[in-house]
Amino acid sequence: MAGILVYSEKTNLAAELITAAQILGAGAVQAVAINDSAQAETLAAAGAAVYTIENSALIPADVAATAAALQAAAEKLGCDTILLASDRRGKELAGRLAQAMGAGCLTDISALQVNSSQIECQRNALGGATVAAQVISAAKKVIAIRPRTFPPASAGSGSVQSLDVEVKTSPVKLLESRPKAGDTVDIEAAETLVVVGQGLNSQDDLAPVQELARKLGGEVACSKPVATDKKWLSEERIIGLSGKKCKPELAIILGISGQVQFTVGIRDARVIVAVNSDENATINQMSDYILTADLHDIVKEMNEKL
């Protein structure tokens, strides 16, 4: 590997990518911060050699322009491998950057290692039914890593210096920014999740579930039908193949059978507690603790005990 460059507009995710680069034996990890001096200082304190790109024409909404800037930075710094965060914008950026660089690309990586001088990546395959080990054979590589796959780097001795790259005038003009309306919960960052499925009788039954989550210091999440079909919760709370992939310390799964489309998003939880009236529910096969009971009775009792 000629060199590894890491980038995410989110500082906490960029810090996780520094850890990934260190695991790959990158030595002095190089990172890019775009129009964010605070991020640059934080990543330098985490041990990265940070290159700042200051250009008012670069805005996060223009992913194509960001990809062009990162391509130019990689060429100047002699990097053939780019690590990105596999969040919504990061996955779009990965595709655009790989096309611009003529690189191979893998997203949603859940583990990686160097094997026979190649970067071996693990990611879900066949709709989440299995985990595949894959490598990029191309000389240049763009790899997007799932949030929270690695702990954030937090201690080191890095540096900050400016980097000039040529950026074409963007056709995208930022007129205004507003806080996102509605639910802005980040279930991926929660240490405890109370997750509901179609076993919940009605929307009114969400109140004691939310009370339980508050008492545990966690968040409420759900399977896809609860948000998209019943619309009881926002789509920001969906766990699974078409939602978020979470890695909490504790996941309490209420009334969810355990189809693979859901379990791929929660199977990395440290402790899983399943509550289901069906003793043969698939979710039980991956759970650490199993309660075969009516979830409404269990939620009520747990609220009384806590």
Side-chain angles (χ1 to χ4, degrees), residues 5-9 32-35 53 55 57-76 79 81-84 89-103 105 140-142 163 165-168 170-172:
L5 185 66
V6 307
Y7 171 76
S8 174
E9 65 182 277
V32 166
I34 298 177
N35 297 327
I53 299 174
N55 191 315
L58 277 172
I59 58 174
D62 190 349
V63 181
T66 302
L70 290 176
Q71 178 195 11
E75 289 178 354
K76 281 197 170 186
C79 296
T81 300
I82 315 293
L83 301 185
L84 305 172
R89 183 167 285 159
K91 282 186 273 194
E92 180 184 354
L93 177 59
R96 290 182 178 272
L97 180 57
Q99 191 278 331
M101 294 175 59
C105 180
K140 296 181 179 180
K141 303 169 179 61
V142 176
L163 181 69
V165 297
E166 184 177 347
V167 180
K168 295 181 180 179
S170 172
V172 177

Side-chain angles (χ1 to χ4, degrees), residues 209-249:
V209 173
Q210 291 166 336
E211 180 185 354
L212 176 60
R214 284 194 299 271
K215 288 181 175 179
L216 293 172
E219 297 286 354
V220 174
C222 63
S223 60
K224 184 179 178 182
V226 174
T228 59
D229 299 345
K230 297 182 177 180
K231 301 189 183 303
W232 291 350
L233 291 168
S234 75
E235 294 188 16
E236 291 297 316
R237 296 181 184 268
I238 296 175
I239 286 177
L241 198 60
S242 55
K244 304 288 181 64
K245 297 176 179 65
C246 302
K247 195 177 179 180
E249 289 293 305

Side-chain angles (χ1 to χ4, degrees), residues 110-130:
S110 58
L112 49 73
Q113 63 178 346
V114 176
N115 189 355
S116 300
S117 75
Q118 288 188 312
I119 300 176
E120 183 179 277
C121 302
Q122 290 186 12
R123 61 198 300 265
N124 290 328
L126 300 176
T130 188

Side-chain angles (χ1 to χ4, degrees), residues 173-208:
K173 303 299 180 185
L174 179 63
L175 301 179
E176 182 183 5
S177 24
R178 304 176 184 175
K180 185 176 180 180
D183 202 347
T184 57
V185 65
D186 183 6
I187 61 172
E188 290 176 311
E191 294 294 331
T192 300
L193 289 174
V194 181
V195 192
V196 295
Q198 295 193 83
L200 206 64
N201 289 336
S202 71
Q203 189 171 6
D204 293 338
D205 293 324
L206 275 174

Side-chain angles (χ1 to χ4, degrees), residues 148-164:
R148 303 195 77 195
T149 294
F150 300 102
S154 58
S157 179
S159 61
V160 178
Q161 54 188 301
S162 62
L163 181 69
D164 293 325

Side-chain angles (χ1 to χ4, degrees), residues 27-46:
V29 180
Q30 300 178 95
V32 166
I34 298 177
N35 297 327
D36 193 338
S37 58
Q39 182 189 75
E41 294 295 337
T42 299
L43 298 184

